[in-house]
Amino acid sequence: FLRWTEMASLTVRAAGVVVPLTQRIGKSQVRPALVQFRRSSARTMATAKQVISTDKAPAALGPYSQAIKAGNTVYVSGQIGLVPGTKNFASDDVEGQTEQVLKNMGAILEAAGGSYSNVVKTTILLADMDDFAKVNGIYGKYFVEQPPARATFAVKGLPLGAKVEIEAVAVL
């Protein structure tokens, strides 16, 4: 444990800003400043979060948003190949579902003020890893130049029996 006098120079870096954890109130007196920091950071975060929603992509299947914009970053929730306004898949095959997934993602990115070129990271979930090459071929048509970082996983199951799900992070 540190004495308050030893904590006079403690700081924390948050969102690129160095914030003191203590304040000097006299020659040798120090008091905690963390309470003030918590209040201001909570207020800043609350105003920076924006829900992104469009009827050009399927509505969320649960208690989550199609996307969240925080500052200049957009977090697109995992999309499956549903036709907007329905609970029907665009196709029974992985190629048709992948195409619809990427159309849905494009509509959400557009609603946020972005496009595929703004995407910096995607995560692909496959019901069957044997579909990797098929999904990759379609995915490559949407991310031609400077493709985003990506991870691909095979999973035991996807919502509504989907064959593919893709989520994305974009920077505007």
Side-chain angles (χ1 to χ4, degrees), residues 92-110:
D92 289 334
D93 61 44
V94 73
E95 294 93 341
Q97 287 188 26
T98 302
E99 193 74 45
Q100 188 63 49
V101 164
L102 291 162
K103 287 178 185 175
N104 294 343
M105 182 185 297
I108 295 168
L109 289 166
E110 185 178 314

Side-chain angles (χ1 to χ4, degrees), residues 49-129:
K49 180 179 169 182
Q50 177 186 356
V51 173
I52 304 298
S53 182
T54 178
D55 59 358
K56 294 180 181 177
L61 297 174
Y64 60 91
S65 301
Q66 288 175 327
I68 293 291
K69 184 175 179 182
N72 66 339
T73 305
V74 179
Y75 301 90
V76 180
S77 294
Q79 296 299 302
I80 58 176
L82 296 178
V83 175
T86 75
K87 295 268 193 222
N88 302 323
F89 286 104
S91 173
D92 289 334
D93 61 44
V94 73
E95 294 93 341
Q97 287 188 26
T98 302
E99 193 74 45
Q100 188 63 49
V101 164
L102 291 162
K103 287 178 185 175
N104 294 343
M105 182 185 297
I108 295 168
L109 289 166
E110 185 178 314
S115 68
Y116 298 106
S117 66
N118 297 107
V119 176
V120 296
K121 171 74 168 77
T122 61
T123 303
I124 301 175
L125 306 176
L126 296 173
D128 185 348
M129 192 55 90

Side-chain angles (χ1 to χ4, degrees), residues 1-86:
F1 290 99
L2 298 174
R3 288 176 280 177
W4 284 113
T5 54
E6 294 172 319
M7 294 178 61
S9 63
L10 288 179
T11 60
V12 65
R13 180 176 294 275
V17 177
V18 177
V19 179
L21 291 177
T22 56
Q23 295 175 329
R24 187 173 292 281
I25 56 173
K27 255 186 171 179
S28 63
Q29 294 178 316
V30 176
R31 70 175 179 197
L34 190 55
V35 173
Q36 181 181 7
F37 170 71
R38 283 186 181 153
R39 283 190 200 130
S40 64
S41 64
R43 186 171 36 253
T44 302
M45 290 304 289
T47 60
K49 180 179 169 182
Q50 177 186 356
V51 173
I52 304 298
S53 182
T54 178
D55 59 358
K56 294 180 181 177
L61 297 174
Y64 60 91
S65 301
Q66 288 175 327
I68 293 291
K69 184 175 179 182
N72 66 339
T73 305
V74 179
Y75 301 90
V76 180
S77 294
Q79 296 299 302
I80 58 176
L82 296 178
V83 175
T86 75

Side-chain angles (χ1 to χ4, degrees), residues 120-152:
V120 296
K121 171 74 168 77
T122 61
T123 303
I124 301 175
L125 306 176
L126 296 173
D128 185 348
M129 192 55 90
D130 289 341
D131 291 332
F132 181 85
K134 295 173 190 173
V135 170
N136 215 32
I138 294 162
Y139 178 95
K141 292 190 288 185
Y142 287 82
F143 300 105
V144 180
E145 293 185 26
Q146 299 180 348
R150 182 179 92 182
T152 304

